[in-house]
Amino acid sequence: MSDVPKTHPRYLSLTLRDTIVAGVEQGITSIHGLIAHGRGEAFDYLIGETTQPFAIQAIHAAAAMLRLAEHPVISVNGNVAALAPEALIQLGQVLNAPLEVNIFHTETGREQRIREHLLKHSAPDVLMPTTDAQLSYIDSNRKFVHPEGIFKADVVFVPLEDGDRCEALRKMGKAVVTVDLNPMSRTAQQASITIVDNVVRALPLLCKEIRNFSDPTAEDTVARYSNKAVLKQALEHISRCGNG
Ligand code: PTJ
């Protein structure tokens, strides 16, 4: 770990850098994950490094959608595994949903190392990609999925995604909940619900919201939710900050 003093005004953000670097060193996070993280940091800086009202609104709708799902699945890549393993496992527990490793950048042994990392953090089980079940409309490594996991899911939670799979999942008729700090990314634009927040802040809030969920009008909440409107709020917030 680096020697950033706790008094540094951006201590938390700098600590997260250490965590993602450690993920690369452990062979969990792809080296490309550092670039993705840097992009995320830039947007986090612009939204004020705190959870904003547009993210709270999306978290409420996401909790409703995930609670109503018949077969929700949590997709795990190398960045989120390094940044928030405990929160991912907690989310799996509150939803009674499996975690499934699904990565974009192929590297020998990385999928297995992610699985072991999650098991070490007490995940009850972790599904792995297979060649038995494949997603349509996609050519990358992300197409390989588990028949009892993403392949069968009606709602897929996919934090920090590259746009291709989100589009493929939607074309296959699945709902997608994502967490993405960039409201303009293809994933953010194509997901059913986009939580524009840092995954390390959003995941514990989502778990809490699901645990305490008592909205008798959950179906209406999901039906009324407009991702377009929420993303617009996020962009307006960013441009207000940019204008001082
Ligand atoms: O482990 P792999 O091989 O599956 O690779 C994972 C990454 C994230 C490298 C891969 O999916 C990728 O290349 O993603 P992109 O296309 O760079 O998109 C990542 C998105 O996540 C960007 O829009 C970033 O702004 C956003 N992002 C980065 N860090 C965070 C984040 N969003 C929320 N919380 C973060 N901590």
Side-chain angles (χ1 to χ4, degrees):
M1 287 303 209
S2 69
D3 53 358
V4 179
K6 283 204 167 115
T7 48
H8 192 288
R10 302 197 53 256
Y11 174 76
L12 278 178
S13 175
L14 295 170
T15 311
L16 276 190
R17 272 193 194 178
D18 285 340
T19 310
I20 206 82
V21 167
V24 175
E25 286 167 353
Q26 290 163 38
I28 294 166
T29 308
S30 156
I31 190 90
H32 307 276
L34 298 179
I35 299 169
H37 186 81
R39 285 209 288 162
E41 262 189 7
F43 281 99
D44 207 6
Y45 192 87
L46 290 172
I47 68 164
E49 294 177 336
T50 52
T51 303
Q52 298 294 341
F54 46 80
I56 299 286
Q57 200 183 327
I59 286 171
H60 183 68
M65 181 177 269
L66 287 162
R67 280 288 291 259
L68 291 170
E70 275 175 25
H71 190 63
V73 174
I74 300 156
S75 179
V76 182
N77 67 21
N79 280 49
V80 77
L83 290 174
E86 283 95 1
L88 281 173
I89 294 163
Q90 245 185 57
L91 183 64
Q93 279 163 353
V94 294
L95 284 172
N96 195 20
L99 303 184
E100 178 169 338
V101 176
N102 186 282
I103 62 174
F104 180 70
H105 302 282
T106 46
E107 275 161 66
T108 315
R110 190 157 69 91
E111 287 160 342
Q112 197 54 39
R113 284 192 293 276
I114 294 175
R115 179 170 188 269
E116 279 156 19
H117 178 69
L118 294 168
L119 293 175
K120 213 168 71 200
H121 280 86
S122 306
D125 193 16
V126 180
L127 300 180
M128 295 295 279
T130 70
T131 46
D132 302 338
Q134 295 190 21
L135 298 180
S136 316
Y137 313 109
I138 184 166
D139 294 324
S140 76
N141 185 57
R142 286 212 193 270
K143 72 180 172 196
F144 299 112
V145 290
H146 194 286
E148 292 303 311
I150 292 172
F151 190 74
K152 192 171 136 187
D154 54 346
V155 182
V156 193
F157 179 71
V158 282
L160 274 82
E161 170 70 335
D162 72 300
D164 282 14
R165 185 176 49 149
C166 181
E167 194 174 353
L169 292 170
R170 294 306 311 276
K171 278 190 188 160
M172 288 180 77
K174 299 174 192 296
V176 174
V177 176
T178 192
V179 183
D180 193 328
L181 279 158
N182 177 3
M184 289 168 285
S185 77
R186 278 196 316 133
T187 299
Q189 300 280 335
Q190 285 172 13
S192 319
I193 298 179
T194 305
I195 302 167
V196 181
D197 197 13
N198 197 311
V199 76
V200 298
R201 291 191 301 267
L203 268 175
L205 293 173
L206 180 61
C207 287
K208 197 168 158 208
E209 187 76 8
I210 293 170
R211 212 179 279 120
N212 301 334
F213 199 80
S214 62
D215 182 352
T217 59
E219 270 109 351
D220 283 353
T221 301
V222 173
R224 278 199 317 268
Y225 176 82
S226 162
N227 206 43
K228 221 171 161 185
V230 165
L231 292 175
K232 189 162 171 262
Q233 284 177 42
L235 281 169
E236 282 167 1
H237 172 84
I238 288 173
S239 55
R240 271 198 304 277
C241 295
N243 290 329

